[in-house]
Amino acid sequence: MQYFPSESVSETDPGGQAELEVWERLKDAFGRDDDGVLYHQYPIMDKGGHRFDRKPDFVLLHDELGLIIVECKGYTIDQIDYIAGDTWHLRGMSQERASPLEQARDQGFHLQDSFKRERKLRDGRQTKIPMNVFVALPNISRSEWDQRDLNAAP
């Protein structure tokens, strides 16, 4: 595995400490013997005229697992009021709502679009590289999440 850290994220940035913690955990999970690359804040630029310039928190391109996009949120359990579908309703924050899974999915689809332009990476019109998206919540334990029953839709 090759690692490409972000040069612009620090612990003092909003969410920076959470991202740096997840970066270390991902490097532990995907060691040097794994075949792939791991980026922290990989830039996605749309050159086709549509406006989509983003930096997913983490992009992993793994030989066996395909494309993995990880969106990191530094929320605490008390900052999530409830989740309805893909929308997270927040409290005590400047942002009232977030859709981290949808955010990661959109970023992954834009990366897959660039893969489709490469003949070796596509099968007909579809990319050969599977994609999975995840949301990392390093400030919330599994027991806190389960206790709030946030997986259940309201």
Side-chain angles (χ1 to χ4, degrees):
M1 181 72 53
Q2 294 180 35
Y3 306 112
F4 297 93
S6 172
E7 296 178 8
S8 62
V9 175
S10 74
E11 288 185 6
T12 59
D13 294 335
Q17 185 174 1
E19 283 189 30
L20 292 172
E21 182 177 340
V22 171
W23 171 252
E24 292 303 320
R25 289 184 186 186
L26 287 170
K27 288 192 323 183
D28 288 343
F30 298 97
R32 294 271 180 205
D33 293 338
D34 282 292
D35 192 14
V37 293
L38 174 62
Y39 293 93
H40 184 188
Q41 298 219 338
Y42 181 80
I44 302 172
M45 308 297 245
D46 184 359
K47 297 177 183 174
H50 305 306
R51 184 75 180 138
F52 191 88
D53 295 341
R54 300 284 188 269
K55 288 185 179 179
D57 293 331
F58 304 98
V59 173
L60 173 67
L61 193 54
H62 191 277
D63 186 50
E64 294 177 21
L65 302 174
L67 175 64
I68 297 174
I69 306 293
V70 180
E71 178 62 28
C72 179
K73 296 297 182 190
Y75 304 145
T76 63
I77 196 70
D78 295 329
Q79 292 172 318
I80 301 174
D81 190 16
Y82 66 95
I83 298 172
D86 283 341
T87 304
W88 297 28
H89 296 263
L90 308 172
R91 58 180 166 208
M93 303 186 67
S94 59
Q95 183 181 16
E96 293 181 7
R97 289 184 206 92
S99 300
L101 196 59
E102 186 176 298
Q103 181 182 351
R105 204 176 298 128
D106 287 347
Q107 293 166 344
F109 287 145
H110 277 82
L111 276 174
Q112 280 191 319
D113 282 345
S114 66
F115 297 162
K116 290 176 188 175
R117 291 191 289 267
E118 299 294 329
R119 181 169 295 160
K120 293 179 182 179
L121 300 179
R122 70 175 186 252
D123 183 14
R125 293 183 156 182
Q126 299 299 316
T127 179
K128 294 179 182 180
I129 301 171
M131 178 183 72
N132 287 290
V133 297
F134 298 92
V135 177
L137 301 165
N139 297 328
I140 300 175
S141 70
R142 168 59 70 185
S143 62
E144 288 176 316
W145 183 270
D146 290 343
Q147 187 175 15
R148 285 280 310 280
D149 199 23
L150 289 170
N151 285 334

